[in-house]
Amino acid sequence: MDSGLSAALKNRARLQIMQDAVTPRAYPAEPYEHLTRAAARAIDVPMVLVSLVSEGGQYARGVQGTMGELAMCVTTPLSHSFCKHVVDSRTVLRIPDARVHPLVCTNPSIDEFGVVGYLGIPLTTSDGHTLGALCAITHTPREWTPFEEAILDDLARVVVCEIELRAELAHRERNAERQVGGHAVEGLPERSADILDHMLEGAAAIDREWRVSFMNEAGALALAIDRDTAIGQDLWAVLPRMVNSPFEATLRQAALTHQSLEMEAMVPEAQRWFMMRVVPARHGLAVYFADITERRRALEALAVRESQLHQAQKMEAVGVLAGGIAHDFNNLLTVIRANCEMLMQRASSDGPSEPLLAEMHVATTRAAKLTAQLLAFGRKQVIQPRVVEPGVQIAAMAPMIGRLMPANVEMVTSLPHVPPIVIDPGQLEQVMLNLATNARDAMPNGGKVRVRTSFVNLASVLRDQGVEIAPGRWVVLSVCDEGTGIPAEILPRIFEPFFTTKPLGKGTGLGLSSIFGIVQAAHGRIVVESQEGKGTEFRIYLQAAASEAVAAPAIVSAVATTASVAATALVAEPSAPAVPAPRVAERLLVVDDEQSVRSVVERVLASDGYELLVARDGGEALEMFEAHLGAIDLVLSDVVMPRTSGVELAGALRRRAPGVPVVLMSGYGDVQAVQNEVQRGTALINKPFNASTLREAVRRALSDRGRTLPS
């Protein structure tokens, strides 16, 4: 037996309806004989049967003979059943000649009962159960006409109504039998409507004429209607907004197919999402629904968070790689840059080597910008946050940014007073410079770049372009262009490292990645809104400072952050201020595991008259410091070294000789450890540095020691 047919025949609800349909009762009397007799006369056939099919066989009620002289009540095995094929397909079965029909040509009924012509109309209840067929049988071949099929179809509907009526009566009788002494069975309300009224989910019943026959309180509240007024009314009149909606389509499909359906859709008028489940019932449709707007918002927020986590994990992984590359690259750049500057000082201004050295210097400065972006992207920079007036700082940058704009691009600023923020000033410069140059590049035909600051005080969560902004006080920095815009398909990728839409050689793909890293490190949010052909706006939300008077400890002023170096490199690198020569032959301990870096540092500082001791790592430096205890005026150390790191060395020296200043040279390392060391007063110089920056850092550290310690 086909598995689908077998499952249908075993369905408990279907079996119960069949049992109720044939259970003898005094009232009402069974009308099957009258119906089948009328059908046999109308289409002139010897036999019409109401045939109900179960797993145990076929139970037939009807008449035999054109005039219906002999009533029948026959049970036959499934092997003899033509009607089982109607139940299986749930469609009309027309057989002009069973003896040659491939579906039934081997059926024993052909020989035993003389069945030749057969027309079967499915008997399908309103809740989708096909119980059997109203079938016409002839003993000779018969070509069935549409007229004959239409008559049987109408009578089949009458048979189904009779079956459902008898099932409803039996259902009510069974419910009445459950009553004990006139009271409901303990634990169950007296009526099912009471149960539905206590549901949190909306529930309604729709009859076959699309009238509302029931509505619970939760449903009326969710739909914002009066249920007493709605009951008995046409559904489409009560809820006109459902007409031509996905909800109407689902209801009509369920009614047509007698299948349970479930769907989710938004009600545009209310801007709310609803879930609806439709179950075909005996007298129409049972509909269950609920407002799922908050659930969908939670799922959308979860998806955004998962996407952000995935992006953060990718950036963290690439950040570790980028930081390692930056470390080695910065060591190389330090050597090239410092040696280049020393050669430039010796070369004649009009000599043949001067242009070559100048080009080399520009190239190393651009390379320094690239490593600064790598470190910012990987959040591997040692930052020096302090309270900053964003409008004041951006206004100070405006002339420099303006010089980067071509003649056909105008920069317009709107910088009203806003609360201060806490950020590394160099990183703020890097963010604004990258956004401004990106805006410039997006407008090859010219236009305006608008830079604005504003302030928002959020009492609740703000969702800006899918980014969630928490309640609080936020300063918003906005850079808007009138350029080509960003295509929607690549918008989600713009913060990915090394992703760029610029031509080869025109972009590194690190500008926006580094901005993302800086904003994340500052606990801010970045939002992008773009339309192709109309332009793009970047909005950066940074938390307003809790107090305008709080600032991070000052760092040695000679230290130049990589972000500042990167920002000024595109215009012109300023000359370092002149510093006084050493008072006496001060002794410095230089520590770096890279021989080339040690050599260039020695060369620069020796030319200034310092006496130098050189160590290859932190362990050797500690041994050398002990051997020359009291005779070393300053220690200049790399951060990342084998055996003992620069941070560990600084801590050991602070405990052993707290008066000896330490200047750390950082290309990459344990950012938090370096940050903590800087907070304790240790000076920091970022690689790649130039000769003048190195001289200034050493001289300033020695001068600070002279002011605090006796000579």
Side-chain angles (χ1 to χ4, degrees), residues 82 94-107 110 115-117 141-143:
F82 281 38
R94 307 170 192 85
I95 300 178
D97 190 339
R99 295 168 297 182
V100 295
H101 195 283
L103 191 64
V104 296
C105 61
T106 60
N107 194 298
I110 298 174
V115 178
V116 177
R142 177 77 167 258
E143 291 292 338

Side-chain angles (χ1 to χ4, degrees), residues 104-428:
V104 296
C105 61
T106 60
N107 194 298
S109 292
I110 298 174
D111 294 329
E112 294 183 21
F113 302 122
V115 178
V116 177
Y118 174 90
L119 174 61
I121 308 296
L123 299 174
T124 302
T125 64
S126 59
D127 50 1
H129 298 299
T130 300
L131 306 179
L134 176 63
C135 61
I137 296 172
T138 64
H139 303 305
T140 58
R142 177 77 167 258
E143 291 292 338
W144 303 102
T145 68
F147 174 76
E148 293 166 340
E149 183 178 329
I151 289 176
L152 277 191
D153 184 70
D154 285 339
L155 291 173
R157 294 175 184 271
V158 176
V159 172
V160 170
C161 289
E162 173 65 19
I163 289 173
E164 291 193 320
L165 174 61
R166 301 175 77 84
E168 176 64 19
L169 288 172
H171 173 71
R172 295 190 179 189
E173 288 169 356
R174 283 192 294 272
N175 280 349
E177 290 172 0
R178 297 177 63 206
Q179 303 295 320
V180 180
H183 298 283
V185 176
E186 183 179 358
L188 288 176
E190 186 175 339
R191 295 178 303 168
S192 58
D194 295 332
I195 299 176
L196 296 175
D197 261 338
H198 286 81
M199 290 174 56
L200 297 178
E201 187 180 44
I206 313 297
D207 68 17
R208 294 177 183 177
E209 303 300 323
W210 298 104
R211 292 187 295 262
V212 180
S213 56
F214 173 79
M215 176 82 65
N216 70 351
E217 291 184 6
L221 183 62
L223 298 175
I225 60 176
D226 179 63
R227 72 169 179 168
D228 293 333
T229 303
I231 291 176
Q233 300 300 312
D234 181 78
L235 172 66
W236 316 117
V238 173
L239 293 169
R241 58 179 178 267
M242 290 183 65
V243 177
N244 297 325
S245 73
F247 298 102
E248 179 189 8
T250 302
L251 288 167
R252 292 193 182 278
Q253 184 180 359
L256 180 65
T257 63
H258 302 288
Q259 293 180 344
S260 297
L261 299 175
E262 187 170 329
M263 55 89 70
E264 294 180 5
M266 174 181 277
V267 177
E269 295 84 351
Q271 287 296 297
R272 307 288 293 180
W273 281 86
F274 281 84
M275 177 280 298
M276 183 175 74
R277 187 170 69 257
V278 187
V279 181
R282 186 175 291 111
H283 296 302
L285 298 174
V287 185
Y288 305 93
F289 53 93
D291 186 329
I292 59 168
T293 306
E294 298 307 320
R295 188 186 77 185
R296 285 188 66 95
R297 286 176 179 172
L299 290 174
E300 289 170 1
L302 179 61
V304 170
R305 292 289 179 86
E306 288 177 347
S307 175
Q308 291 172 341
L309 177 60
H310 180 62
Q311 178 72 2
Q313 288 172 335
K314 285 200 303 183
M315 295 187 71
E316 180 66 23
V318 181
V320 173
L321 174 63
I325 294 172
H327 171 253
D328 293 337
F329 199 42
N330 279 338
N331 280 336
L332 299 174
L333 285 176
T334 298
V335 175
I336 297 170
R337 196 173 188 187
N339 283 327
C340 178
E341 286 193 354
M342 295 183 71
L343 289 173
M344 290 176 69
Q345 291 173 359
R346 298 175 185 175
S348 170
S349 60
D350 56 355
S353 61
E354 197 278 334
L356 302 178
L357 292 172
E359 287 185 15
M360 185 186 300
H361 188 264
V362 170
T364 56
T365 302
R366 293 184 64 185
K369 177 196 173 188
L370 180 61
T371 57
Q373 288 177 328
L374 281 168
L375 290 170
F377 151 68
R379 297 169 66 175
K380 303 300 181 184
Q381 284 177 309
V382 179
I383 59 175
Q384 303 170 40
R386 63 172 183 263
V387 174
V388 172
E389 293 278 358
V392 173
Q393 180 139 352
I394 294 171
M397 289 183 65
M400 179 185 71
I401 297 176
R403 289 196 292 273
L404 301 175
M405 301 295 167
N408 62 349
V409 175
E410 178 186 0
M411 189 174 77
V412 180
T413 60
S414 175
L415 306 171
H417 176 73
V418 294
I421 57 178
V422 178
I423 195 171
D424 184 311
Q427 289 195 325
L428 178 59

Side-chain angles (χ1 to χ4, degrees), residues 557-595:
S557 61
V559 178
T561 66
T562 35
S564 297
V565 170
T568 57
L570 291 178
V571 187
E573 186 170 309
S575 301
V579 295
R583 294 169 297 175
V584 292
E586 292 163 305
R587 181 176 292 173
L588 312 183
L589 174 57
V590 177
V591 192
D592 201 299
D593 60 319
E594 287 284 340
Q595 189 275 331

Side-chain angles (χ1 to χ4, degrees), residues 408-542:
N408 62 349
V409 175
E410 178 186 0
M411 189 174 77
V412 180
T413 60
S414 175
L415 306 171
H417 176 73
V418 294
I421 57 178
V422 178
I423 195 171
D424 184 311
Q427 289 195 325
L428 178 59
E429 290 179 4
Q430 185 175 346
V431 167
M432 300 308 298
L433 184 71
N434 278 339
L435 290 180
T437 53
N438 278 355
R440 173 202 65 189
D441 295 340
M443 298 188 296
N445 299 321
K448 291 183 179 180
V449 177
R450 292 180 171 83
V451 180
R452 296 189 294 265
T453 59
S454 58
F455 171 72
V456 292
N457 191 358
L458 301 178
S460 58
V461 172
L462 170 68
R463 290 178 178 84
D464 190 352
Q465 300 297 309
V467 178
E468 188 175 287
I469 314 298
R473 303 169 67 247
W474 296 90
V475 172
V476 186
L477 311 180
S478 168
V479 177
C480 181
D481 64 59
E482 300 172 341
T484 55
I486 303 173
E489 63 271 16
I490 69 171
L491 191 60
R493 299 190 59 196
I494 62 173
F495 294 113
E496 291 183 9
F498 310 112
F499 177 79
T500 180
T501 58
K502 295 179 181 178
L504 185 64
K506 296 295 184 180
T508 63
L510 285 171
L512 289 177
S513 296
S514 62
I515 290 174
F516 187 89
I518 289 171
V519 173
Q520 289 289 304
H523 307 292
R525 296 289 184 270
I526 185 166
V527 175
V528 188
E529 185 175 0
S530 185
Q531 286 185 303
E532 286 192 79
K534 294 186 178 181
T536 302
E537 180 178 7
F538 284 84
R539 291 187 290 275
I540 296 175
Y541 290 79
L542 296 170

